[in-house]
Amino acid sequence: MKKGNDLGRDSIPSLVLRLAIPTMVAQLVNVLYSIVDRMYIGHIEGYGDLALAGAGVCGPIVTLLTSFGTLIGLGGSIQLAMRMGEGNQKKAKQILSNSFLMLTVFSLILTVLFLLIKDHLLLWFGASEQTFPYADTYLTIYTLGTFFALMAVGLNYFINCQGFAGVGMITVLIGTICNIALDPLFIFVFQMGVAGAAIATVISQFFSCAFAFCFLLFSKRVSVRISLGNYSLPLMGKILSIGFSPFLILASDSLLLIATNTVLHTYGGSQGDMLITTATIVQSYMMLITSPMLGISGGTQAIISFNYGAADTKRVRQTEKCVLLLCLAFTTVMFFVTRLLPGVFIRLFTTNPEISRLSIWGIGVYTMMIIPLSFQYILVDGLTAMERTKTALYLSIFRKTFYILLVFLLPQITREASNVFFAEPIADLVSSVQSTILFLLIFKKHMQRREKQVELLHAMHQKGRAS
């Protein structure tokens, strides 16, 4: 039976395609969780636009919750891929065991914590008196399903890093197909409205979680399966330290949405709720671009980590080039698609002509710099896969901080709340240029340092055998 992709010997271009495409599709499909919810919610008769704004307020909180799955899943999977590259299966098994325990503990703690503070979060994230009831209903039900959400996200990283990107894609497809099928049933047939959308999402995440868990526990195809025991606090700390950079990237996206919604609510006046609804649609469209980009960069991190662990720096370099070219091709296509078809996407959410007009304009602005944004995504995730987490963290934090600064400055300078949307392309361009320059300055030295580390380890092992 086929064991999966050989990260150390298969051709890099074909390996990148075999891992990136399924993960890219999985991320794109995963976006449909929120988009399908918002699409159906926006068409609820009588209060669809307000309910959509409420769901938009929940969006960054949901992102914040699920980012904890990335904290553990990505941090652990990068470590696991490196240990597999070194041939240390015992350590790889211990990493998955410790990661599974952390996913369980974190999900339980976060469920209780978010239920206690959800009212304050919703107000902080921009809920108005009109949208709060819808946001509160959705978030309460979603939070009760935190365990399934975190497990589905976290465990899928350990499937992908062992070369089974196709199985990882199936994990996501199961949940999304269930969500698409259950949403109209709960929202319209059972007439549960926003609550129905949240219930459908939780049920769908349960099925994704169950599939990923069973594959990692029972499948004979995987090299490292879920097990219990052999826990280590230092190892858990290492997993968290590596996962912290991508976690902060995702978690800070919530801060960006908070800032955007707050400024639109503050400076938008009587149009505040309509502008937040518009931002929800625009951000949903942007996710159709950035999520596949995350799939391309995240799905191929296993190749980089495995070969970095084996000190095969030639394959690391080749992987970075292939992944960047693939991402540039994708963003170029999406740039032109965006100029032609935004109206088709917007009609899925609303028939309000004013919101539609603003959304078409907002999407055009938001996507102006998606092509150079490829460099930011690929190079930062590549540095993370090579344990250069502090550099990756700096580059990510700079982009987020610069974006938030622009969000607060642009409306004050221009006296127009809608100009908040220009913060995205400006931040994308500046941060991508900086990331490219910094990567070129440090990458060669980092590869040389890794080669010397492995040579030293081999010399120590040979000396140990001789003695």
Side-chain angles (χ1 to χ4, degrees), residues 7 57 74 77 82 133-134 160 171 194 212 231 233 253 278 313 318 341 353 374 377:
L7 303 179
V57 171
L74 188 54
S77 64
M82 287 183 183
Y134 307 111
N160 289 330
T171 302
V194 173
Y231 301 122
L233 288 177
D253 281 343
T278 299
T313 55
Q318 191 178 1
L341 302 173
S374 299
Y377 272 65

Side-chain angles (χ1 to χ4, degrees), residues 211-446:
F211 178 81
F213 176 78
C214 289
F215 183 79
L216 284 173
L217 185 63
F218 299 116
S219 177
K220 296 180 179 178
R221 299 168 64 191
V222 294
S223 301
V224 183
R225 301 184 199 174
I226 292 175
S227 60
L228 302 177
N230 202 12
Y231 301 122
S232 166
L233 288 177
L235 178 57
M236 292 181 186
K238 181 69 172 177
I239 291 169
L240 294 176
S241 68
I242 292 178
F244 185 72
S245 176
F247 160 75
L248 198 57
I249 294 169
L250 289 174
S252 60
D253 281 343
S254 301
L255 294 177
L256 307 189
L257 296 176
I258 292 173
T260 302
N261 289 343
T262 300
V263 169
L264 291 174
H265 182 69
T266 302
Y267 293 94
S270 60
Q271 291 189 319
D273 285 337
M274 186 177 72
L275 286 171
I276 291 176
T277 301
T278 299
T280 300
I281 296 172
V282 172
Q283 289 155 2
S284 297
Y285 185 85
M286 191 66 173
M287 288 168 64
L288 290 177
I289 300 172
T290 57
S291 291
M293 289 169 68
L294 283 172
I296 293 171
S297 61
T300 52
Q301 278 182 312
I303 310 172
I304 296 172
S305 296
F306 185 97
N307 288 287
Y308 180 78
D312 194 338
T313 55
K314 181 180 179 181
R315 286 176 66 85
V316 173
R317 292 185 179 93
Q318 191 178 1
T319 302
E320 278 288 296
K321 290 178 183 178
C322 290
V323 175
L324 181 58
L325 288 173
L326 178 60
C327 195
L328 284 170
F330 169 74
T331 52
T332 300
V333 170
M334 290 305 298
F335 178 85
F336 289 106
V337 168
T338 299
R339 267 68 203 160
L340 297 173
L341 302 173
V344 176
F345 178 82
I346 292 164
R347 283 193 290 273
L348 296 175
F349 291 86
T350 184
T351 56
N352 185 307
E354 183 64 16
I355 294 176
S356 297
R357 181 188 64 79
L358 282 171
S359 297
I360 290 174
W361 171 81
I363 286 174
V365 170
Y366 245 61
T367 58
M368 287 171 62
M369 292 297 165
I370 58 172
I371 296 175
L373 187 60
S374 299
F375 290 88
Q376 173 78 9
Y377 272 65
I378 300 306
L379 300 182
V380 169
D381 280 359
L383 289 169
T384 302
M386 293 179 277
E387 291 191 302
R388 193 73 189 231
T389 52
K390 290 182 180 179
T391 307
L393 182 60
Y394 160 74
L395 293 171
S396 299
I397 292 298
F398 174 84
R399 177 170 174 256
K400 310 293 186 181
T401 304
F402 188 49
Y403 174 92
I404 292 175
L405 181 65
L406 291 170
V407 163
F408 286 102
L409 285 178
L410 289 174
Q412 295 186 43
I413 294 172
T414 63
R415 301 299 178 184
E416 178 60 52
S418 61
N419 284 334
V420 162
F421 291 98
F422 284 101
E424 179 73 25
I426 296 172
D428 289 348
L429 178 61
V430 173
S431 58
S432 297
V433 171
Q434 180 187 227
S435 296
T436 303
I437 293 172
L438 193 55
F439 184 88
L440 292 174
L441 288 173
I442 67 173
F443 180 68
K444 184 177 180 180
K445 293 180 180 179
H446 192 63

